[in-house]
Structures are given as C-alpha cells and as structure tokens.
Coordinates of all heavy atoms in Angstrom, one line a residue:
D1 N 23.0 3.7 64.8 CA 23.7 4.0 66.0 C 25.2 4.2 65.8 O 25.9 4.7 66.6 CB 23.5 2.8 67.0 CG 22.1 2.8 67.6 OD1 21.5 3.9 67.7 OD2 21.7 1.7 68.0
R2 N 25.7 3.8 64.6 CA 27.1 3.8 64.4 C 27.7 5.2 64.4 O 28.7 5.5 65.2 CB 27.5 3.1 63.0 CG 29.0 2.9 62.8 CD 29.2 2.1 61.5 NE 30.6 1.8 61.4 CZ 31.6 2.6 61.0 NH1 31.3 3.8 60.6 NH2 32.8 2.1 60.9
P3 N 27.1 6.2 63.7 CA 27.7 7.6 63.8 C 27.6 8.1 65.3 O 28.6 8.8 65.7 CB 26.8 8.4 62.9 CG 26.2 7.4 62.0 CD 26.0 6.2 62.8
R4 N 26.6 7.8 66.0 CA 26.4 8.3 67.3 C 27.5 7.7 68.3 O 28.0 8.5 69.1 CB 25.0 7.9 67.8 CG 24.7 8.4 69.2 CD 23.2 8.5 69.4 NE 22.5 7.2 69.4 CZ 22.2 6.5 70.5 NH1 22.4 7.1 71.7 NH2 21.6 5.4 70.4
I5 N 27.8 6.5 68.1 CA 28.8 5.9 69.1 C 30.2 6.4 68.7 O 31.0 6.6 69.6 CB 28.8 4.4 69.1 CG1 29.5 3.9 70.4 CG2 29.4 3.7 67.9 CD1 29.3 2.4 70.6
I6 N 30.5 6.6 67.4 CA 31.8 7.2 67.0 C 32.0 8.6 67.7 O 33.0 8.9 68.2 CB 31.9 7.2 65.5 CG1 32.0 5.8 64.9 CG2 33.1 8.1 65.1 CD1 32.0 5.8 63.4
E7 N 31.0 9.4 67.6 CA 31.1 10.7 68.2 C 31.1 10.7 69.7 O 31.9 11.4 70.3 CB 29.9 11.6 67.7 CG 29.9 12.0 66.3 CD 31.3 12.6 65.9 OE1 31.7 13.6 66.6 OE2 31.9 12.2 64.9
A8 N 30.4 9.7 70.3 CA 30.4 9.6 71.8 C 31.7 9.2 72.3 O 32.3 9.7 73.3 CB 29.3 8.7 72.2
V9 N 32.4 8.2 71.6 CA 33.7 7.7 71.9 C 34.7 8.9 71.8 O 35.5 9.1 72.7 CB 34.1 6.6 71.0 CG1 35.6 6.3 71.2 CG2 33.3 5.3 71.3
T10 N 34.6 9.6 70.7 CA 35.5 10.7 70.5 C 35.4 11.8 71.6 O 36.4 12.2 72.2 CB 35.3 11.4 69.1 OG1 35.4 10.4 68.1 CG2 36.3 12.5 68.9
E11 N 34.2 12.2 71.9 CA 33.9 13.2 72.9 C 34.4 12.8 74.3 O 35.0 13.5 75.0 CB 32.4 13.5 72.9 CG 32.1 14.6 73.9 CD 30.6 14.9 73.9 OE1 29.8 14.3 73.2 OE2 30.2 15.8 74.7
R12 N 34.1 11.5 74.6 CA 34.4 11.1 76.0 C 35.9 11.0 76.2 O 36.4 11.4 77.3 CB 33.8 9.7 76.2 CG 34.0 9.2 77.7 CD 33.1 8.0 78.0 NE 31.7 8.4 78.0 CZ 30.7 7.5 78.4 NH1 31.0 6.3 78.6 NH2 29.5 8.0 78.4
I13 N 36.7 10.6 75.2 CA 38.1 10.5 75.4 C 38.8 11.9 75.4 O 39.6 12.2 76.2 CB 38.7 9.6 74.3 CG1 38.3 8.1 74.6 CG2 40.2 9.7 74.3 CD1 38.8 7.1 73.5
V14 N 38.4 12.7 74.4 CA 39.0 14.0 74.3 C 38.7 14.9 75.6 O 39.5 15.6 76.1 CB 38.5 14.8 73.1 CG1 39.0 16.2 73.1 CG2 39.0 14.1 71.8
M15 N 37.5 14.8 76.1 CA 37.1 15.5 77.3 C 38.0 15.1 78.5 O 38.3 15.9 79.4 CB 35.6 15.3 77.7 CG 34.7 16.1 76.8 SD 32.9 15.8 77.3 CE 32.9 16.5 78.9
R16 N 38.4 13.8 78.5 CA 39.2 13.3 79.6 C 40.6 14.0 79.6 O 41.2 14.2 80.6 CB 39.4 11.8 79.4 CG 40.0 11.1 80.6 CD 40.1 9.6 80.3 NE 38.8 9.0 79.9 CZ 38.7 7.9 79.2 NH1 39.8 7.3 78.8 NH2 37.5 7.4 78.9
Y17 N 41.0 14.4 78.4 CA 42.3 15.1 78.3 C 42.3 16.6 78.4 O 43.3 17.2 78.6 CB 43.0 14.6 77.0 CG 43.6 13.2 77.0 CD1 42.9 12.2 76.4 CD2 44.8 13.0 77.7 CE1 43.4 10.9 76.4 CE2 45.3 11.7 77.7 CZ 44.6 10.7 77.1 OH 45.1 9.4 77.1
E18 N 41.1 17.1 78.2 CA 41.0 18.6 78.1 C 41.5 19.3 79.4 O 42.1 20.4 79.3 CB 39.5 19.0 77.8 CG 39.2 19.1 76.4 CD 37.8 19.6 76.1 OE1 36.9 19.3 76.9 OE2 37.6 20.4 75.1
A19 N 41.2 18.7 80.5 CA 41.6 19.4 81.8 C 43.1 19.4 82.0 O 43.6 20.1 82.9 CB 40.9 18.7 82.9
E20 N 43.8 18.6 81.3 CA 45.3 18.5 81.5 C 46.0 18.7 80.1 O 46.2 17.7 79.4 CB 45.7 17.2 82.1 CG 45.1 16.9 83.4 CD 45.5 15.5 84.0 OE1 46.7 15.3 84.0 OE2 44.7 14.8 84.4
P21 N 46.3 19.9 79.7 CA 46.9 20.2 78.4 C 48.2 19.4 78.2 O 48.4 19.0 77.0 CB 47.1 21.7 78.4 CG 46.1 22.2 79.4 CD 46.0 21.2 80.4
Q22 N 49.0 19.3 79.2 CA 50.2 18.5 79.0 C 50.0 17.1 78.7 O 50.6 16.5 77.8 CB 51.1 18.7 80.3 CG 51.7 20.0 80.4 CD 52.6 20.1 81.6 OE1 52.6 19.3 82.5 NE2 53.5 21.1 81.7
A23 N 49.0 16.5 79.4 CA 48.6 15.1 79.1 C 48.1 14.9 77.7 O 48.3 13.9 77.0 CB 47.6 14.6 80.1
L24 N 47.3 15.9 77.3 CA 46.7 15.9 75.9 C 47.8 15.9 74.9 O 47.9 15.1 73.9 CB 45.8 17.1 75.7 CG 45.0 17.1 74.4 CD1 43.7 17.9 74.7 CD2 45.7 17.8 73.3
E25 N 48.8 16.8 75.1 CA 49.9 16.9 74.1 C 50.7 15.6 74.1 O 51.1 15.2 73.0 CB 50.8 18.1 74.5 CG 51.9 18.4 73.5 CD 52.7 19.6 73.9 OE1 52.4 20.3 74.9 OE2 53.7 19.9 73.2
Q26 N 51.0 15.1 75.3 CA 51.8 13.9 75.3 C 51.1 12.7 74.6 O 51.7 11.9 73.9 CB 52.1 13.5 76.8 CG 53.0 12.3 76.9 CD 53.4 12.0 78.3 OE1 53.3 12.8 79.2 NE2 54.0 10.8 78.6
A27 N 49.7 12.6 74.9 CA 49.0 11.5 74.3 C 49.0 11.6 72.7 O 49.1 10.6 72.0 CB 47.5 11.6 74.7
L28 N 48.9 12.9 72.2 CA 48.9 13.1 70.8 C 50.3 12.7 70.2 O 50.4 11.9 69.2 CB 48.6 14.5 70.5 CG 48.7 14.9 69.0 CD1 47.7 14.1 68.1 CD2 48.5 16.4 68.8
F29 N 51.4 13.1 70.8 CA 52.7 12.8 70.2 C 53.1 11.4 70.4 O 53.7 10.8 69.5 CB 53.8 13.7 70.9 CG 53.9 15.1 70.3 CD1 53.4 16.2 71.0 CD2 54.4 15.3 69.0 CE1 53.4 17.5 70.4 CE2 54.5 16.6 68.4 CZ 54.0 17.7 69.1
D30 N 52.7 10.8 71.5 CA 53.0 9.3 71.7 C 52.2 8.5 70.7 O 52.8 7.5 70.2 CB 52.5 8.9 73.1 CG 53.5 9.4 74.2 OD1 54.5 9.9 73.9 OD2 53.1 9.3 75.4
T31 N 51.0 8.9 70.4 CA 50.2 8.1 69.4 C 50.8 8.3 68.0 O 50.9 7.3 67.3 CB 48.8 8.6 69.4 OG1 48.2 8.5 70.7 CG2 47.9 7.8 68.4
L32 N 51.2 9.5 67.7 CA 51.8 9.7 66.3 C 53.1 8.9 66.2 O 53.4 8.3 65.1 CB 52.0 11.2 66.1 CG 50.8 12.0 66.0 CD1 51.2 13.5 65.9 CD2 50.0 11.6 64.8
Y33 N 53.9 8.9 67.3 CA 55.1 8.1 67.2 C 54.9 6.6 67.0 O 55.5 6.0 66.2 CB 55.9 8.3 68.6 CG 57.1 7.4 68.7 CD1 58.3 7.7 68.0 CD2 57.1 6.4 69.6 CE1 59.4 6.9 68.2 CE2 58.1 5.5 69.8 CZ 59.3 5.8 69.0 OH 60.4 5.0 69.2
E34 N 53.9 6.0 67.8 CA 53.7 4.6 67.7 C 53.1 4.3 66.4 O 53.4 3.2 65.8 CB 52.7 4.2 68.8 CG 53.3 4.3 70.3 CD 54.3 3.2 70.5 OE1 54.5 2.3 69.7 OE2 55.0 3.3 71.5
E35 N 52.2 5.1 65.9 CA 51.6 4.8 64.6 C 52.6 4.9 63.4 O 52.6 4.1 62.5 CB 50.4 5.8 64.3 CG 49.2 5.4 65.0 CD 48.6 4.2 64.5 OE1 47.9 4.2 63.5 OE2 48.9 3.1 65.1

C-alpha cells in the first residue's frame, strides 16, 4: 500500500492547487524558501 498512498497524497494535494495557478506558484516558492 505504500506506493499507492504516496501517489494518492501527491495527486490529492496537487489537484487542490491546480484550479488556482497563483496559489500553486505561491505554495511552491513558500515551500522552497522555508526548506
């Protein structure tokens, strides 16, 4: 089940941002900055 849940987590979160390109871009840059 491990590969399946990794892909499901990835898909669910990315889909949440797809509808709002600006939110997606901000999430990416904020994450890179914090990391």
Side-chain angles (χ1 to χ4, degrees):
D1 289 331
R2 192 176 185 276
R4 184 157 64 98
I5 197 171
I6 290 173
E7 289 308 310
V9 168
T10 303
E11 181 182 0
R12 184 166 292 183
I13 291 178
V14 173
M15 284 182 63
R16 192 180 305 158
Y17 284 101
E18 271 187 324
E20 301 180 47
Q22 289 185 341
L24 187 153
E25 183 178 357
Q26 183 175 347
L28 176 61
F29 279 106
D30 286 351
T31 302
L32 293 175
Y33 171 75
E34 292 291 349
E35 279 294 275

